[in-house]
Amino acid sequence: MLNGITLGMTEANFLSLAIVLLTVVVQLKMLSLVRQSASHALSLKHQVFQLISLLQSERLKKRSIKRSKDIMEKTVNDGTFAVEAVHQTIVGVTFDVIDALSGKDKVKENTRRLRVIHEQTAGGVYRSVREVNKQLSGLADSLLNTGKKASVRSTDDNQRGH
């Protein structure tokens, strides 16, 4: 009792508050990841412009540029997989904690639905990053006139180590 007022926090109220707080934490982390992704996209854009500038320079050999392009493509691809793995771990732990703290089946079901939506959305974002990386690599290959087509390669062709 506080100044004659009973607070009366039930377990359900506590769990609801905990879920709201954990959701806020997840949203803040996602916002941070989005900001980092934007920063990485700007950095990648800058690197692409640098690569194009290098391509226009007759002083550089095509083989050196091809190696740089391959390194950049592999770095972005591997970095995307790494960020995705860390992201999945953080989100997995968060959803597991929410699920463990939830006493009601309805809350658990809502959490499972939210988890599926989140996984689909995040997966789409990471697939998009890898697709843009693949397309930029194809463009660079065309500019290098390496004999490769600039057409879209399937995502399976651009997995780790390829």
Side-chain angles (χ1 to χ4, degrees), residues 36-56:
Q36 288 174 355
S37 296
S39 172
H40 292 302
L42 288 174
S43 175
L44 178 59
K45 180 180 176 182
H46 178 71
Q47 289 176 349
V48 168
F49 285 132
Q50 285 180 330
L51 179 60
I52 291 170
S53 174
L54 292 175
L55 288 171
Q56 293 171 345

Side-chain angles (χ1 to χ4, degrees), residues 23-142:
T23 302
V24 168
V25 169
V26 169
Q27 289 175 345
L28 289 173
K29 185 59 183 174
M30 288 300 298
L31 179 60
S32 172
L33 288 171
V34 166
R35 286 181 179 161
Q36 288 174 355
S37 296
S39 172
H40 292 302
L42 288 174
S43 175
L44 178 59
K45 180 180 176 182
H46 178 71
Q47 289 176 349
V48 168
F49 285 132
Q50 285 180 330
L51 179 60
I52 291 170
S53 174
L54 292 175
L55 288 171
Q56 293 171 345
S57 172
E58 294 182 359
R59 294 179 288 143
L60 298 173
K61 295 178 182 177
K62 285 185 179 181
R63 190 180 337 195
S64 173
I65 297 170
K66 171 87 170 88
R67 277 193 296 255
S68 296
K69 190 265 324 168
D70 290 343
I71 290 169
M72 187 172 70
E73 179 183 12
K74 183 173 180 358
T75 301
V76 170
N77 200 44
D78 291 351
T80 301
F81 277 109
V83 169
E84 183 176 21
V86 170
H87 179 191
Q88 288 174 344
T89 300
I90 291 168
V91 169
V93 168
T94 302
F95 278 113
D96 290 345
V97 168
I98 291 172
D99 194 49
L101 292 175
S102 302
K104 295 186 177 185
D105 290 337
K106 184 175 182 177
V107 173
K108 288 184 179 192
E109 181 58 31
N110 287 338
T111 301
R112 280 190 279 277
R113 278 192 235 131
L114 181 60
R115 185 179 211 159
V116 168
I117 291 168
H118 177 269
E119 288 172 355
Q120 290 171 346
T121 303
V125 169
Y126 291 113
R127 280 189 299 279
S128 295
V129 169
R130 285 188 286 272
E131 182 64 25
V132 168
N133 185 45
K134 179 177 65 175
Q135 293 296 324
L136 288 173
S137 177
L139 174 62
D141 282 337
S142 292

Side-chain angles (χ1 to χ4, degrees), residues 11-28:
E11 179 182 342
N13 290 342
F14 177 76
L15 286 176
S16 295
L17 179 60
I19 289 170
V20 168
L21 290 175
L22 286 172
T23 302
V24 168
V25 169
V26 169
Q27 289 175 345
L28 289 173

